[in-house]
């Protein structure tokens, strides 16, 4: 990869929100917010590519995101940017993309534009994954929410308990058994 390529720090993705810190006591509410939004979403059919750049504003090389789900991604981003995850207004307009390099040289930008100008991949996006930044400057999956997957709420002992089955546990759940392939969590009064 290029110098500054983010793939050694995070898997390829389309960022909905970035740069926000959530206090530990707000994490479960933030995850519940994401899961509520994802439960109401349907899979998004997207086209990834060809390569583009934000140069000269930023020396970023990325894969363009287009296709019939493009408007839905923008709506999804607006819905996530609310409640416990509400962010201050962004400096730039939201552009769905898959980052390849964040600090490319002009020669790398020109080379990428010339050599990856016809790459396109059709894909389906069917979940939101929440990432956390580790002490080693690597982003790791923290919680996820599949599109159309609703949680189940039952009354147990007079208190509503919500059960969610996911790939990644919430913050509290993650302290029990991190990075398992399946997590079943019960929420009562906003706590895992």
């Amino acid at each position: 990869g290029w110098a500054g390529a983010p793939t050694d720090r995070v898997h390829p993705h389309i960022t909905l929100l970035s740069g926000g810190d959530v206090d530990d006591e707000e994490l479960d509410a933030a995850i519940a917010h994401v899961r509520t939004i994802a439960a109401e979403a349907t899979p998004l059919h997207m086209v990834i590519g060809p390569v583009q750049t934000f140069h000269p504003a930023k020396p970023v090389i990325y894969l363009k995101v287009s296709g019939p789900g493009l408007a839905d991604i923008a709506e999804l981003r607006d819905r996530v940017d609310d409640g416990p995850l509400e962010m201050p207004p962004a400096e730039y307009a939201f552009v769905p993309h898959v980052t390849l390099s964040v600090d490319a040289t002009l020669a790398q930008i020109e080379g990428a534009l010339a050599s990856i100008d016809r790459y396109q991949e059709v894909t389906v996006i069917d979940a939101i994954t929440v990432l956390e930044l580790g002490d080693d400057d690597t982003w790791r999956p923290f919680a996820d929410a599949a599109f159309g997957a609703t949680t189940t709420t039952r009354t147990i002992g007079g208190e509503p308990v919500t059960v969610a089955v996911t790939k990644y546990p919430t913050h509290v759940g993650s302290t029990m058994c991190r990075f398992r392939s399946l997590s079943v969590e019960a929420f009562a009064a906003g706590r895992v």
Side-chain angles (χ1 to χ4, degrees), residues 62-76:
Y62 66 91
L63 293 173
K64 176 182 176 180
V65 174
S66 61
L70 188 60
D72 295 327
I73 283 185
E75 180 183 333
L76 194 63

Side-chain angles (χ1 to χ4, degrees), residues 58-136:
K58 289 186 174 186
V60 173
I61 301 171
Y62 66 91
L63 293 173
K64 176 182 176 180
V65 174
S66 61
L70 188 60
D72 295 327
I73 283 185
E75 180 183 333
L76 194 63
R77 187 237 177 257
D78 291 344
R79 293 192 65 211
V80 170
D81 184 13
D82 194 19
L85 293 175
E86 187 171 6
M87 303 289 289
E91 181 179 353
Y92 298 99
F94 175 62
V95 177
H97 65 281
V98 177
T99 303
L100 298 177
S101 178
V102 294
D103 61 357
T105 66
L106 184 56
Q108 290 168 332
I109 291 170
E110 290 171 349
L113 291 172
S115 64
I116 315 174
D117 63 334
R118 295 188 183 172
Y119 172 81
Q120 287 191 329
E121 186 74 32
V122 176
T123 189
V124 176
I125 298 170
D126 61 0
I128 298 174
T129 301
V130 180
L131 305 175
E132 67 177 336
L133 184 60
D135 293 337
D136 60 355

